[in-house]
Amino acid sequence: QLQESGPGLVKPSQTLSLTCTVSGGFISTAGYYWSWLRQHSGKGLEWIGYIYHSGSSYYNPSLKSRLSISVDTSKNQFSLNLSSVTAADTAVYYCARFTRPHWSGYFDSWGQGTLVTVSS
Amino acid sequence: QSVVTQPPSASGTPGQRVTISCSGSSSNIGSYSVNWYQHLPGTAPKLLIYGNSQRPSGVPDRFSGSKSGTSASLAISGLQSEDEADYYCAAWDDSLNGPVFGGGTKLTVL
């Protein structure tokens, strides 16, 4: 199981920070990428990026300059930091587990999602 | 706009068979396997089909997937009211160097 946590309201130009806690398994288990996705209101799903337990991370090029994903295997958590946010970053954010290898991978476990609103 | 296209809506009556299409290109569906997700708003999305046509444990065999060239489709037979949800296709994309989703299809059970 995966569970997102973090502030539901972030001011423009600040950093959006979310954490995903993994339960029922170890984040250090081989074969999975730990992922963040988002869904703008009325829109489809957008992959943000993912990280392997070793710390290797891969980002959506459209967000790469503002994005950082980290992993803490001791806490069985991984985190998202998105800097310089604007109203366009208002969305429901999901954490999910993505299987390897990446070219045939799929998201087989998801969090419930958390709404983050960017507003002053 | 997504590089993978789905119809925004689909509908059917209980017991009917409906199909949802997913169209991409050689950089995604044409080269990689397609996965399908079911999403009821306010809940966690659920993996429905992986590897074009494989069902995870627990997914009824009323759901089936197929792929041909740069297109894929999800078929739901024996439509039930609880099938009313949003459905997304997804595949790896070389241009994105990551997984790309279709825009989603809202299925209404009349």
Side-chain angles (χ1 to χ4, degrees):
Chain A
Q1 285 188 328
L2 294 90
Q3 180 66 57
E4 306 88 352
S5 60
L9 181 65
V10 181
K11 288 182 167 48
S13 79
Q14 293 192 341
T15 296
L16 182 162
S17 297
L18 295 173
T19 295
C20 182
T21 300
V22 179
S23 58
F26 293 104
I27 207 167
S28 55
T29 300
Y32 300 107
Y33 290 107
W34 301 95
S35 313
W36 288 99
L37 305 94
R38 68 182 182 181
Q39 183 174 33
H40 296 98
S41 180
K43 303 293 185 183
L45 292 158
E46 177 185 29
W47 171 71
I48 295 172
Y50 51 49
I51 192 165
Y52 198 55
H53 65 80
S54 63
S56 298
S57 55
Y58 306 85
Y59 300 152
N60 187 319
S62 69
L63 298 169
K64 188 174 182 178
S65 63
R66 300 191 290 131
L67 184 61
S68 175
I69 298 177
S70 59
V71 64
D72 186 335
T73 55
S74 67
K75 294 182 179 178
N76 230 30
Q77 295 177 333
F78 62 105
S79 299
L80 164 76
N81 282 292
L82 184 65
S83 64
S84 305
V85 297
T86 69
D89 295 308
T90 294
V92 176
Y93 286 76
Y94 296 94
C95 60
R97 188 176 76 174
F98 188 72
T99 66
R100 297 182 75 191
H102 58 270
W103 60 86
S104 63
Y106 46 87
F107 297 98
D108 67 347
S109 186
W110 297 69
Q112 295 279 349
T114 186
L115 174 63
V116 179
T117 301
V118 178
S119 175
S120 55
Chain B
Q1 224 171 10
S2 178
V3 297
V4 174
T5 305
Q6 297 179 235
S9 62
S11 63
T13 56
Q16 251 188 340
R17 182 178 187 270
V18 297
T19 61
I20 296 172
S21 62
C22 174
S23 179
S25 67
S26 58
S27 69
N28 43 66
I29 293 176
S31 299
Y32 303 103
S33 57
V34 177
N35 311 303
W36 290 89
Y37 302 89
Q38 179 190 59
H39 187 206
L40 284 75
T43 69
K46 173 186 174 183
L47 178 66
L48 208 57
I49 298 286
Y50 68 94
N52 300 324
S53 60
Q54 305 302 304
R55 283 186 309 276
S57 174
V59 173
D61 59 6
R62 301 187 296 106
F63 294 91
S64 61
S66 63
K67 183 187 116 170
S68 178
T70 59
S71 295
S73 62
L74 173 71
I76 309 171
S77 59
L79 198 62
Q80 299 179 4
S81 58
E82 56 260 40
D83 298 333
E84 190 162 286
D86 297 323
Y87 292 86
Y88 294 91
C89 62
W92 186 263
D93 184 84
D94 285 333
S95 301
L96 179 62
N97 199 25
V100 65
F101 288 82
T105 298
K106 183 176 182 59
L107 176 64
T108 301
V109 180
L110 302 170

